[in-house]
Amino acid sequence: MHVQVVLLDGFDPLDVIAPYEVLYAGGAASAGAVSVELVSVEGPREVPSGAGSLTLRATGALDPERAGVILVPGVAGRFGEPGEVPERDAGNGEWQQPDEFLSVRLDRAMSTELPALLKAAMENPAVTVATVCGGSIILAMAGLLVGRRATTHHQGLDALDSGGAHAVRARVVDDGGLVTGAGVTSGLDLGLYLLEREKGPRIAHAVEELFAHERRGVVWRDQGLAPVGF
């Protein structure tokens, strides 16, 4: 299983690093049956995160034709819209702009080739598209989640519904070729679940022990009896 973790300008670092390290460890535990790389739409480049001066380097270009998993993170930034939050006094007679807004960073991602590449990936039966946190919002904004079950950060669930998805309040949601994670730390659970789903529970358990992290919650799937009265 090859995993392409997508870097986009303003990405949330933990959305990327948590699943990347879990999946990288899964590759070591499985003698190379799992590989993972950082990619971007534009190809190899330094990509700035949404957290200060932290950057990561994409070593390849996002390829929707390559079998495996494409993992889309969310972006980091401020809630609200430009103009709602004023500049702040830096204390030295100068004014500083607040951190960039989530909406601005999401719009910037939508102005690239990312939506088209993700559409191609969603249409490829050999590819599973996975997201952490606001990564599913990007899919919804691109019109790629209509009728699909998905989750995201709890503050973005309404946005999923508005994009035509069926938002599920769960930590990880498996909708076949689409696997989505909730808030940022759910990237750990998402990575472990992908290892279990694709390479079996023993590999996932070995990595879980290595990281001293127990996966939280039930992975939601549209299977079995529907609950009554909930």
Side-chain angles (χ1 to χ4, degrees):
M1 175 178 74
H2 184 71
V3 183
Q4 300 178 71
V5 180
V6 182
L7 296 180
L8 59 154
D9 289 351
F11 68 88
D12 187 294
L14 194 56
D15 286 7
V16 170
I17 295 299
Y20 179 94
E21 193 166 358
V22 167
L23 293 163
Y24 182 85
S30 62
V34 178
S35 56
V36 58
E37 66 172 331
L38 299 177
V39 300
S40 80
V41 170
E42 300 81 5
R45 70 181 181 101
E46 299 291 328
V47 184
S49 76
S53 61
L54 177 67
T55 64
L56 292 177
R57 178 165 179 78
T59 58
L62 173 60
D63 181 2
E65 301 303 318
R66 184 167 185 176
V69 176
I70 292 174
L71 193 152
V72 185
V75 294
R78 295 175 66 89
F79 287 94
E81 295 294 333
E84 291 181 349
V85 180
E87 296 177 343
R88 60 178 181 267
D89 189 346
N92 58 359
E94 298 180 358
W95 292 88
Q96 293 179 331
Q97 290 286 348
D99 293 337
E100 201 164 29
F101 287 91
L102 288 169
S103 59
V104 173
R105 287 176 171 160
L106 289 170
D107 287 343
R108 185 177 298 134
M110 299 305 296
S111 70
T112 70
E113 291 299 311
L114 181 61
L117 293 171
L118 292 177
K119 182 177 186 294
M122 295 282 285
E123 293 172 348
N124 185 348
V127 173
T128 294
V129 175
T131 68
V132 180
C133 199
S136 55
I137 301 294
I138 292 173
L139 294 181
M141 291 175 67
L144 300 176
L145 291 189
V146 176
R148 304 297 296 265
R149 270 75 173 180
T151 191
T152 189
H153 190 280
H154 63 89
Q155 291 179 295
L157 290 170
D158 288 345
L160 283 187
D161 280 329
S162 298
H166 299 294
V168 180
R169 193 176 288 272
R171 193 158 174 84
V172 177
V173 173
D174 184 341
D175 192 43
L178 172 70
V179 183
T180 55
V184 288
T185 60
S186 68
L188 291 166
D189 300 319
L190 179 82
L192 287 167
Y193 176 67
L194 288 172
L195 288 179
E196 180 184 19
R197 191 178 95 151
E198 303 299 330
K199 297 304 172 186
R202 290 188 291 179
I203 295 297
H205 182 257
V207 176
E208 186 178 72
E209 282 199 309
L210 176 66
F211 279 62
H213 172 79
E214 294 184 2
R215 234 171 59 199
R216 292 172 50 196
V218 173
V219 174
W220 191 96
R221 293 183 290 273
D222 191 17
Q223 298 175 0
L225 296 174
V228 177
F230 287 86

